[in-house]
Structure formats: C-alpha cells, structure tokens
Amino acid sequence: MIYAAIRAGRERVQRAGHAHVLVCSDTTEVNLKATMHYRPAGELGVTGNNSDPGFFIHAGFALDPEYGRPLGCVSAQVWTRGGRVDFGACESQKWFNVTRDVQGFTPMVTLVNDREGDSYDLWFQVMQRQTHLITRARQDRALIPDQPGGSTKLWAALEATAPRALFELSIPADPKRGRAARRSMMALSFRTVRLRSPRAGRAGKRGSVKLQAVEVRECAACVPCGESPVVWRLLTTHTIETVEQALQIVKWYMFRWRAEDTFSALKTRGLDVVSTAG
C-alpha cells in the first residue's frame, strides 16, 4: 500500500510539471500493541519504548511551495527495531535516502526537515545533488567567524544579529511543554554563517559549509508568565538577502507540519492503520 502510494505520488507530481516542490520529511511509529493482543513482537520488532510491537515509517511528502498543498508521497522507508527489517544503528540514514530519492525529481527540490534531520554531513549531500534544504537547528554548532572576534557558536551569532522585521504568528497549544495557545509578535533576524565541521579531515584540517541562518524569536512581552519564548533557528542553502526571502523560508518550514497531519490521518483519523493488524 505504501509503495503504491509513492509511485502514484511521483507520477502525479511529474505529470503536473512543477518547476519547484517542497519535500517535507518526518518519522512516525505504528504501535500495534492493542491490536496484537500483547503477542511477542516477532518479525515486527519493537517501537520506541523497546517493548511494544510495531514498526516505523519515514516519508517524504511533496508540497506546492506557494500554498503548501499536498501533491503526494514521493519517498518512504519502513523498518523495525530488532525485527525482520532492522536498520540497526543507522536509522539516521533515512534522511540521506530521501535526498537520494528526490534527486532530479523536478527542476528544483527543497527538502524541509525538523531538528532530527540536522546533520552536518547531510548538507554536503544536498549540495552535491543540487537540491536545497531547510532544517531547524538542533544543536549550537561551532562556526568559523566571519571576522576577528566574531561569534564562534551559532546561538550567539544569531542572538547578536539585530532583528530585521516583526510579524504575527499563531502559536498552537502544546500540553507536553505546558505551552498555551496564543497569537504573538515574532522578531525575525537572519545572517550568513559558516558551520565548522565536527570532524577533522586530511592533515587534521576541518572543513566548513556556508549557509543562511534565520532566527524567529517570540517577543518577551507576548510570553505568558512561567513560559519560555518560542524560538526557531533555521538553516538553509537558499539565498537570503531580504526580509521577504527570510519570511519565505519561515513559511516553507511551517508547511512541514503537513507531514504530521498526513501521519495522523494514516494512523488513526483516516486509514486507521493501527487497527488493521490482528
């Protein structure tokens, strides 16, 4: 079913002749404990809690970059932990596989990943395959300063960059983080950064990759008492020289939640995959 959907999705996008598509990737687990009546995991392996039977799906969904309209699933991987199809310690390979799957798919492809997809090596693969990438930074990466005395860490470099614009954003509630729903003013800043390689190469030299960094930070006056401000730090291969271009990157990143909506429909609200095994 999944791979038939991929073929159909790729054919649909290619027939439409899109010059540029976003490919938003995400991972979900399908926990089958309730439907398997506590049977041993067997070939399925276990899910994230290391006990319940189930499997994982990592998929790339193509979206229209103007409105975020879903165009189809264009990449997918299914695996288990300890079962028949086990990636072992290499589950991070899923991000690289999506990049491979969409190479040359349309004249321009922009991959959109959340923090789990923040991998230094992935930037090199993306550039070699002539695709673009937007990723929410997961860690405070080391930088090569752009001038003597400049910031050597990503967080500090962005905090030292003056905001270029303010915009309103509806922030959804997040019970896990104790965050209330609200509409806030967000400060937008952006700059060029050069990430330092986390590993030394030949002759002990460390490489680097030049990217654009965008920070979206909730204004302090809008943050409810007892909560932390919402902060997004985005990295991208796209050129950013204007506020409009920076806001476009933010807009495309926000389309990433379409992937989560699709998984929700697959697992429970729509196809109800978690109830089909028995």
Side-chain angles (χ1 to χ4, degrees), residues 1 25 32 36 56 74 89 102 109-110 128 189 253 271:
M1 179 181 68
S25 299
L32 300 174
M36 296 186 70
F56 297 84
V74 295
V102 301
V109 175
T110 298
Q128 290 171 354
S189 58
Y253 173 73
L271 296 178

Side-chain angles (χ1 to χ4, degrees), residues 94-114:
K94 61 193 178 185
W95 303 100
F96 296 85
N97 292 345
V98 174
T99 307
R100 175 204 63 200
D101 291 347
V102 301
Q103 182 181 12
F105 181 53
T106 59
M108 182 186 292
V109 175
T110 298
L111 298 154
V112 185
N113 297 341
D114 203 4

Side-chain angles (χ1 to χ4, degrees), residues 16-260:
H18 292 280
H20 177 208
V21 297
L22 308 178
V23 176
C24 301
S25 299
D26 200 11
T27 304
T28 192
E29 69 173 41
V30 179
N31 188 312
L32 300 174
K33 177 179 178 179
T35 57
M36 296 186 70
H37 308 295
Y38 304 96
R39 287 183 294 173
E43 291 188 349
L44 280 176
V46 295
T47 51
N49 63 10
N50 293 319
S51 61
D52 294 348
F55 57 93
F56 297 84
I57 304 173
H58 184 81
F61 301 99
L63 305 177
D64 156 41
E66 185 172 1
Y67 300 107
R69 291 176 296 205
L71 303 174
C73 180
V74 295
S75 174
Q77 300 153 76
V78 179
W79 74 96
T80 64
R81 288 180 181 169
R84 183 177 180 183
V85 187
D86 193 337
F87 278 8
C90 299
E91 288 190 11
S92 61
Q93 184 63 33
K94 61 193 178 185
W95 303 100
F96 296 85
N97 292 345
V98 174
T99 307
R100 175 204 63 200
D101 291 347
V102 301
Q103 182 181 12
F105 181 53
T106 59
M108 182 186 292
V109 175
T110 298
L111 298 154
V112 185
N113 297 341
D114 203 4
R115 284 173 287 193
E116 189 189 351
D118 178 14
S119 165
Y120 182 87
D121 292 337
L122 188 58
W123 295 107
F124 281 98
Q125 186 185 82
V126 164
M127 293 175 177
Q128 290 171 354
R129 295 181 183 274
Q130 298 182 327
T131 53
H132 282 286
L133 176 60
I134 301 169
T135 294
R136 185 173 175 184
R138 178 178 57 181
Q139 55 187 299
D140 190 9
R141 291 192 176 276
L143 303 180
I144 296 179
D146 53 2
Q147 59 186 4
S151 299
T152 59
K153 300 292 284 187
L154 179 59
W155 285 189
L158 286 169
E159 289 175 6
T161 303
R164 297 284 299 275
L166 296 173
F167 67 97
E168 282 192 299
L169 180 69
S170 293
I171 299 174
D174 187 339
K176 292 182 179 179
R177 294 183 172 88
R179 187 177 70 200
R182 55 187 179 269
R183 189 162 183 82
S184 290
M185 292 298 299
M186 313 297 288
L188 175 76
S189 58
F190 54 91
R191 60 171 294 161
T192 301
V193 296
R194 188 175 291 276
L195 305 187
R196 185 187 297 273
S197 171
R199 297 175 299 278
R202 293 181 180 178
K205 294 183 178 179
R206 291 180 181 267
S208 64
V209 59
K210 184 178 179 180
L211 302 170
Q212 301 299 313
V214 179
E215 182 178 86
V216 175
R217 181 178 291 271
E218 187 177 14
C219 295
C222 300
V223 182
C225 182
E227 292 194 31
S228 299
V230 171
V231 181
W232 298 341
R233 301 177 183 96
L234 309 178
L235 296 170
T236 184
T237 52
H238 280 286
T239 299
I240 301 178
E241 297 177 344
T242 66
V243 168
E244 289 72 22
Q245 289 173 326
L247 287 172
Q248 181 70 81
I249 297 301
V250 175
K251 176 183 176 181
W252 286 343
Y253 173 73
M254 292 174 65
F255 285 159
R256 196 199 66 79
W257 287 300
R258 300 285 199 278
E260 296 181 8

